[in-house]
Amino acid sequence: MDKEFSNIRIVDIAKMAGVSVGTVDRVIHNRGRVSEENRKKVQAILEMVHYQPNLMARSLAASKKQYHIFAITPSFVQGEYWEAISEGIDKAAAEMESYNITITKLFFDQYNNKTFDDIIRNLLNEKVDGVLIATLFTDSVIRLSQELDRNEIPYVYVDSNIGGQHQLAYFGTESYDAGVIAARLLMDRLPSSSDILMARIIHSGKNDSNQGRNRREGFCHYLTETAFNGNLHEVELKINDSVYNFMKLDEIFEANPNIKGAIIFNSTCYILGNYLKARGMQAVKLVGYDLIGRNTQLLSEGVITALIAQRPERQGYDGVKSLCNHLLFKQHSEKVNLMPIDILLKENLKYYLNNKL
C-alpha cells in the first residue's frame, strides 16, 4: 500500500466511493447484495489505494468466536452532544460486525448518577468482553473500573479521563485545558474588572460531572494567573425548567449589573444563550462547549461568542475500535489519546459543520 494510503480505513474508502461502510465491507468480503454500480465505485477506490485485506482479520471473521462489547453513555435526544458519540460507536460497530463482535449500548441519565449505578449493578450478569465508559460520574466509574479489573475485562474511557485507573485507553480532550481556553476566550473580550457568571446544571446524586469539574478548575486557575480582578458569580440551573432558570438568572443579573461574561461547562450553553437572547442582553459575552444544533444556531446569531468542540464522533469510533483491536489482534492503543480542542466562532462555523468522521 502506498505511504499516502497506509492508514486508510474502511470508513475512508466508503466516503471516497460515496457508499456506506456496509457496502464496502460486502465488496471486500464478496458477500451480500451490492449493486453493480456501487461495486464498481468501491473497486475503483480499492485499486487506487492498493487495499490489501488483512488475512488474519479474514480468518477471524470466519471463526466462530463471539465477542460482546458494552458502551455505557448518557441517553440523548436528536441533536444533543451524546448523539455524536453514539454515531461514532455505530460506525465502528458496522465495521466490526463481520468479525463476530456485537456492540450493545446502555444509556443512563447524565444528570442522575443513580441511573449509572443501576446499569453497572447488573452489567456483569452478562457475557462482557470489553466496555466503553463515559466518565461523567467519577466515583461510580472508579467502582465499575475496579470490578472490571477484578474480572480482567478491558475498558476504555471517553469524554474525560480519570487518573490512577487501569483503563486500556482514553479518547477525548484534556478537560482542564479546555477550561483554560474558555477563560482566555472570555478575558480577551472583557475588561479585567468585569464580573463573570458561571452556571452549572443541578445533578441528582452526589457526583457532578467529571468533565465539568475539570473544566471549571482550569477556567478558575487561568483567572487567578491573569489580571482578572472582577467577581465570579455562580448559579444553579435545571435542565428542563425554563421558568425556574429565567427566575434565577433575572435575580443574579439584577443584583450584579457588572456581569459582562458567562460560561457553562457542558453542552447546555443554549440555556444561557436563550435567556440572553430573550432579555436582549447579547452584549454579555458567552462561551460554551460542544457543537450541537441549539448551540450552533445561537453562535451563528452572535448570541454565543465562542464554542469549544471536542470531536465526539471520533471519540466513540476510536474507543470501540481500540477495544476491538485489543480483543482480536492484541493490539494496544496509546493510553491517552487526546482529541484536538477546536474553537468555533461565528465566522468559521460553516467550515466545521460538515467536517465529521
Side-chain angles (χ1 to χ4, degrees):
M1 188 178 291
D2 291 351
K3 186 175 180 181
E4 178 186 356
F5 303 115
S6 60
N7 294 317
I8 201 79
R9 303 166 301 158
I10 290 178
V11 67
D12 300 317
I13 293 169
K15 282 186 177 181
M16 295 167 74
V19 300
S20 69
V21 170
T23 296
V24 175
D25 182 79
R26 287 191 289 274
V27 172
I28 290 173
H29 297 100
N30 193 29
R31 61 164 178 249
R33 287 187 174 184
V34 179
S35 70
E36 188 60 29
E37 179 185 0
N38 283 341
R39 186 179 298 279
K40 287 180 179 179
K41 288 180 181 178
V42 174
Q43 289 289 4
I45 300 300
L46 292 174
E47 290 174 11
M48 183 184 77
V49 303
H50 304 295
Y51 180 80
Q52 295 293 326
N54 187 308
L55 294 179
M56 182 183 293
R58 279 189 168 182
S59 66
L60 285 166
S63 77
K64 294 184 178 181
K65 185 167 184 180
Q66 303 285 328
Y67 296 95
H68 197 175
I69 292 173
F70 287 84
I72 306 175
T73 65
S75 56
F76 56 86
V77 298
Q78 186 175 6
E80 290 186 338
Y81 168 77
W82 289 101
E83 180 182 27
I85 293 264
S86 189
E87 288 174 351
I89 291 169
D90 289 342
K91 286 192 175 184
E95 290 184 18
M96 304 311 298
E97 184 178 8
S98 60
Y99 304 125
N100 304 320
I101 293 180
T102 301
I103 314 292
T104 297
K105 294 189 288 187
L106 303 175
F107 298 105
F108 63 92
D109 181 349
Q110 63 182 303
Y111 302 108
N112 185 348
N113 71 300
K114 181 180 180 298
T115 61
F116 184 94
D117 293 336
D118 289 343
I119 285 175
I120 66 176
R121 190 174 296 113
N122 300 313
L123 179 65
L124 294 183
N125 292 333
E126 306 287 337
K127 179 185 183 296
V128 182
D129 296 297
V131 185
L132 179 143
I133 310 169
T135 57
L136 274 74
F137 302 122
T138 305
D139 293 346
S140 296
V141 171
I142 289 175
R143 285 196 299 273
L144 172 58
S145 300
Q146 292 171 345
E147 187 67 21
L148 294 172
D149 288 338
R150 282 191 287 272
N151 287 273
E152 299 183 342
I153 297 171
Y155 53 96
V156 163
Y157 291 161
V158 296
D159 190 54
S160 62
N161 206 5
I162 299 176
Q165 304 308 304
H166 299 99
Q167 66 271 29
L168 184 69
Y170 162 64
F171 295 90
T173 57
E174 176 49 69
S175 306
Y176 181 94
D177 289 347
V180 170
I181 290 169
R184 179 165 182 177
L185 285 168
L186 272 182
M187 292 310 299
D188 285 350
R189 291 162 171 79
L190 297 176
S192 60
S193 59
S194 302
D195 289 0
I196 294 175
L197 177 66
M198 297 191 302
R200 62 181 288 269
I201 301 297
I202 298 172
H203 287 66
S204 175
K206 60 186 177 182
N207 281 159
D208 278 342
S209 159
N210 180 50
Q211 177 87 284
R213 187 166 56 249
N214 291 339
R215 287 171 175 170
R216 184 186 185 282
E217 184 180 346
F219 183 89
C220 292
H221 179 77
Y222 181 87
L223 296 183
T224 62
E225 296 296 310
T226 61
F228 176 71
N229 56 12
N231 296 308
L232 290 174
H233 304 277
E234 298 196 59
V235 63
E236 292 185 338
L237 303 176
K238 296 181 179 180
I239 187 62
N240 288 316
D241 193 338
S242 296
V243 173
Y244 173 87
N245 293 339
F246 269 54
M247 178 190 70
K248 296 295 289 186
L249 290 167
D250 281 343
E251 289 176 358
I252 199 162
F253 275 104
E254 184 176 346
N256 302 280
N258 196 42
I259 294 176
K260 307 298 182 185
I263 178 76
I264 189 164
F265 296 110
N266 65 10
S267 61
T268 60
C269 186
Y270 61 86
I271 292 178
L272 278 174
N274 286 334
Y275 172 83
L276 296 177
K277 181 179 178 180
R279 293 291 189 254
M281 297 170 61
Q282 285 94 323
V284 175
K285 304 300 181 185
L286 173 60
V287 172
Y289 293 86
D290 299 325
L291 206 64
I292 65 172
R294 285 178 285 187
N295 287 345
T296 57
Q297 178 61 37
L298 292 168
L299 179 65
S300 69
E301 294 173 7
V303 178
I304 293 176
T305 304
L307 287 172
I308 299 168
Q310 54 184 330
R311 307 195 184 186
E313 192 173 11
R314 169 68 67 176
Q315 294 180 42
Y317 177 88
D318 287 350
V320 170
K321 287 300 289 285
S322 69
L323 281 167
C324 293
N325 288 334
H326 173 76
L327 294 170
L328 294 173
F329 311 119
K330 307 305 178 188
Q331 292 178 358
H332 298 285
S333 304
E334 294 291 331
K335 185 157 187 177
V336 176
N337 303 270
L338 294 178
M339 303 288 114
I341 298 175
D342 299 314
I343 299 171
L344 281 299
L345 307 174
K346 179 180 179 180
E347 291 75 16
N348 69 345
L349 176 62
K350 64 182 178 181
Y351 303 111
Y352 195 89
L353 285 176
N354 295 318
N355 188 22
K356 285 191 171 185
L357 176 68

